[in-house]
Amino acid sequence: MADQAELQTIRDLVRWGASRFRENGLVFGHGTDNAFDEALVLVSHALHLPVGFPEHYLGANVTTAERSVVLDLLGQRIETRRPAAYLTGEAWFAGLPFYVDERVLVPRSPMAEWIERGFTPWLEPDNVERVLDLCTGSGCIAVACAVHFDNAEVDAVDISPEALAVAKRNVERHGLEDWVRLVESDLFDALEPARYQLIISNPPYVPDEEMQALPEEYHHEPELGLRAEQAGLAIVVRILAQAADWLADDGILVVEVGNSQDMLMECFPDVPFTWLDFERGGHGVFLLDAGQTREFQGVFRSILCS
């Protein structure tokens, strides 16, 4: 098309893509939160440029062949509504790259910044020897924990063998085979007895009503990784009911529940959840220490059995 032939520079392509994304009502939330950044991710990938390339590159001219490849990729984003990470096969989490496809959720948990901080002051990062990542998906949380806790061995658990195949690829990508162990398990069921200084999880927590209302982009992700019964709390409550049996005395439990935060507090009004704050945006992540999980284990189990 004549107007597309006028797109001469990287800046032109990014601007054009962002405009078309907004024109077509695309939704963002899988690593970017706006049309410009989504277009920039796709243009960079198509041109084989690194993430965060120098800004002056935006003025560089593209060849006719390069422009064709870029426009094709931007067109796929519009026509399929697949998130950019699925089109590029890559997402970033805690400053690390990960392979992703439709077998796993696109990494985007705000917990990344707390992993980078080592969950201080609750933990002494150098003293953390064992971490358990429940519902690991792509393995991004497990790998990030292995990278940021220098002395920690990480057990990464998922019920989905398809997700674990993706996680295996990411563990190998980062050379962490000796530090991250992948386990196919329904939460704690297939684990050998152990005590962990950190149990961390981004489990499914989207209730049915919210699931049905999600934009099309989210329906490319596996429902197994998103949807949970009992108003989104079925899996979270199972974790709460068992965590005390697996935490070390100085350990902590960290779980993301997103928009189910209010429902969780309504179900457990007496539990002193610490809700973490985020400098880079995010909400709905609680922390309990080992003593708190033991103090309220009976309460959690009573809800689980009701």
Side-chain angles (χ1 to χ4, degrees):
M1 296 174 62
D3 63 331
Q4 294 180 350
E6 297 173 5
L7 304 174
Q8 299 293 320
T9 67
I10 296 174
R11 180 181 288 106
D12 291 340
L13 290 167
V14 173
R15 198 281 309 158
W16 187 89
S19 295
R20 298 292 78 73
F21 290 173
R22 290 178 59 85
E23 178 184 19
N24 286 275
L26 269 59
V27 173
F28 313 102
H30 295 86
T32 69
D33 61 5
N34 63 83
F36 180 87
D37 287 343
E38 189 93 346
L40 182 60
V41 166
L42 291 170
V43 172
S44 301
H45 176 79
L47 296 177
H48 305 286
L49 292 172
V51 174
F53 62 79
E55 186 174 351
H56 65 264
Y57 276 34
L58 287 170
N61 288 334
V62 296
T63 67
T64 300
E66 286 175 331
R67 180 170 60 240
S68 177
V69 172
V70 170
L71 293 176
D72 178 67
L73 191 58
L74 296 175
Q76 289 183 52
R77 178 65 178 90
I78 294 168
E79 293 163 13
T80 68
R81 292 300 200 269
R82 294 171 70 203
Y86 287 153
L87 295 172
T88 65
E90 185 172 81
W92 287 75
F93 180 82
L96 302 167
F98 292 91
Y99 170 78
V100 293
D101 60 30
E102 279 90 341
R103 292 175 289 178
V104 296
L105 302 186
V106 176
R108 55 183 177 274
S109 173
M111 290 192 290
E113 68 178 72
W114 277 100
I115 294 171
E116 292 167 1
R117 290 190 239 169
F119 289 101
T120 56
W122 294 279
L123 296 177
E124 291 287 342
D126 290 342
N127 295 333
V128 175
E129 297 180 347
R130 299 207 68 176
V131 174
L132 174 61
D133 173 25
L134 296 171
C135 309
T136 194
S138 65
C140 63
I141 289 176
V143 167
C145 285
V147 168
H148 290 283
F149 293 100
D150 290 341
N151 302 312
E153 295 181 355
V154 182
D155 288 339
V157 171
D158 206 287
I159 196 172
S160 165
E162 292 81 11
L164 289 172
V166 176
K168 182 175 185 291
R169 180 167 175 170
N170 284 317
V171 170
E172 293 172 349
R173 176 176 186 169
H174 292 281
L176 293 169
E177 296 94 328
D178 293 336
W179 294 95
V180 179
R181 183 172 70 108
L182 300 173
V183 182
E184 184 179 340
S185 178
D186 185 0
L187 299 182
F188 302 94
D189 289 356
L191 285 174
E192 299 176 357
R195 294 285 179 175
Y196 299 91
Q197 283 86 32
L198 172 63
I199 298 177
I200 187 168
S201 183
N202 180 14
Y205 56 74
V206 180
D208 288 335
E209 183 177 349
E210 185 178 338
M211 189 76 193
Q212 294 169 8
L214 287 174
E216 187 175 349
E217 279 83 353
Y218 291 86
H219 289 283
H220 287 281
E221 296 186 293
E223 184 175 309
L224 183 65
L226 289 170
R227 179 182 170 275
E229 297 178 347
Q230 299 176 14
L233 295 180
I235 298 171
V236 173
V237 172
R238 287 181 58 201
I239 294 171
L240 286 167
Q242 299 180 73
D245 298 330
W246 299 85
L247 278 172
D249 290 341
D250 57 349
I252 59 172
L253 170 68
V254 180
V255 181
E256 179 174 340
V257 297
N259 293 335
S260 296
Q261 174 178 339
D262 291 341
M263 181 62 70
L264 184 66
M265 291 191 294
E266 183 178 326
C267 289
F268 302 110
D270 297 325
V271 176
F273 295 108
T274 295
W275 295 98
L276 299 179
D277 294 323
F278 298 95
E279 295 178 358
R280 303 198 292 258
H283 71 284
V285 178
F286 72 75
L287 182 151
L288 292 173
D289 64 34
Q292 291 167 331
T293 63
R294 290 165 190 162
E295 179 181 356
F296 291 95
Q297 187 173 40
V299 175
F300 298 140
R301 289 183 171 175
S302 69
I303 297 291
L304 185 63
C305 295
S306 61

